[in-house]
Amino acid sequence: MKLIAAVLAAMAFTGALVATQKEVPKDPVIVAYQDLIAKDLRLATIGYLLAKGSADFCRNKWRNLGWVLHDERQYPDLGLARRAFTFRQPISIAALVADGPAEQAGLAAGDGLFGADGSVVWYDLRPAKSGPSSERIDGLREEFVTRLSEGRPIAFQIDTANGRRDVALDPPTICASDFWVDVRPKRDAGADGVRVRVTSGLMEYVSDDDELAAVVAHEMAHNLLDHRPLIEVTKSGKTKVIKATEAEADRLSVWLMANAGYDPEAAITFWERYGKATGLGIFSAPTHYRWQSRVAMLRAEMDQMALLPTVEGRRDPPLLAAHRAKQ
Ligand SMILES: [Zn+2]
């Protein structure tokens, strides 16, 4: 009996193999386009969850629709882009953060942005005359930045599988930060005061979402604590200030992770592995403190965090409390 079962299992396996081999291989360009959107969504989701998890404690707040938009014009090969994705309008929803405001409003990937406030079309709907460009979608993002800062419902029209409809999204305010994937093999990340940038190379290097959350939380912490203006106004002792802001970003990162349901231990495993491989942290600047002291500080911060009780599973990070008190 056992032998027959084994033979049957082997036959089933062979059958599966043959079926796989019969599949038409996807165009590598389509695979690359879809992989980029998958990365965008992964980063957007982690960023959204981190921002939402500590929403009650941030002074720097923002609204986030929980979607990834894309423009068919940003792809070098328009024909392949249209095979890779559904575009109901030239600028469409590429992906949605699970349970985010846009998904909760019933929007779906492929739905196309048409116009705003009933009549105004936000962007030029005509097809591109020249090569790929991100100009149009960058303009639309700016438009959304303005609308998201206004604190009132954002009304627009969208083309769905069931026709055109009016939508009004009114997302709650959560911790500030916007996220984008920088397509480069270099393992790098950064924060400019508003946005968080993570390279595709670093996204492929991290072993799981918890480790990626460690990187994103560190960069987000720089934005939430207004580190950039602090560094910009510093004339002397810049190295010292940068080192202090790096330490603060590390310390806050584990609180943000825990509040979002990520395992803060991943910050230790990531920086240890990354530190051993590179000898330095994310920034290769000489100001960067060595990874051993970085890991020791993260450990001390987590020990302190464990002593505090949670309220509905969350803790108020001392660095955010101090930042709120500054006003
Ligand atoms: Zn940093």
Side-chain angles (χ1 to χ4, degrees), residues 218-219 222 246 249 283 294:
H218 172 100
E219 299 304 339
H222 282 309
E246 285 307 314
F283 297 115
R294 189 169 198 175

Side-chain angles (χ1 to χ4, degrees), residues 25 35 45 54-56 66 74 117 151 226 257 261 263 281 285 294 300 309 319:
D35 178 64
T45 300
S54 294
D56 292 345
Q74 77 194 48
D117 302 322
D226 292 316
M257 290 173 74
D263 182 3
R294 189 169 198 175
L319 281 167

Side-chain angles (χ1 to χ4, degrees), residues 189 218-219 222 227 242 245-247 249-250 271 282-283 288 294:
H218 172 100
E219 299 304 339
H222 282 309
H227 283 162
I242 291 175
T245 58
E246 285 307 314
D250 272 348
W271 292 115
I282 279 285
F283 297 115
H288 204 279
R294 189 169 198 175

Side-chain angles (χ1 to χ4, degrees), residues 185-203:
K186 190 185 173 193
R187 294 165 191 165
D188 191 26
D192 66 0
V194 180
R195 306 186 82 189
V196 166
R197 174 185 64 84
V198 182
T199 64
S200 49
L202 186 59
M203 290 188 73

